[in-house]
Amino acid sequence: EYQAAIDTETKLEAQSRALKDLREKDSLTNLYNRRYFSKAFAYEWNRAVRDQADLVILICDIDHFK
């Protein structure tokens, strides 16, 4: 019974990671999307403010996908 609970928890964690990937990655290119960028940017912005450091962002349109 204890092992069944551990197995269920392991499966739920794997499904949670899979859902996170679906939410944060583009299904066509498998690259991170705007939602991930926004979350990462907020994290890095707060870190730069806290550390009194510069923050540099480089955005390139490389796919010609219009």
Side-chain angles (χ1 to χ4, degrees):
E1 190 171 299
Y2 178 73
Q3 185 61 40
I6 291 175
D7 291 344
T8 301
E9 184 177 352
T10 303
K11 288 178 185 176
L12 287 173
E13 287 172 354
Q15 289 174 341
S16 178
R17 283 191 303 274
L19 284 173
K20 182 180 175 188
D21 276 351
L22 286 173
R23 191 175 62 239
E24 294 181 345
K25 287 188 175 180
D26 180 76
S27 60
L28 180 62
T29 62
N30 204 31
L31 297 173
Y32 288 108
N33 62 19
R34 175 63 186 259
R35 180 179 301 194
Y36 180 84
F37 172 80
S38 296
K39 188 169 84 173
F41 178 77
Y43 175 81
E44 293 300 331
W45 178 267
N46 290 328
R47 186 171 68 145
V49 168
R50 182 181 64 242
D51 297 342
Q52 295 181 346
D54 295 331
L55 180 64
V56 177
I57 299 174
L58 175 66
I59 299 177
C60 300
D61 182 11
I62 58 172
D63 60 5
H64 305 291
F65 192 72
K66 305 212 187 241

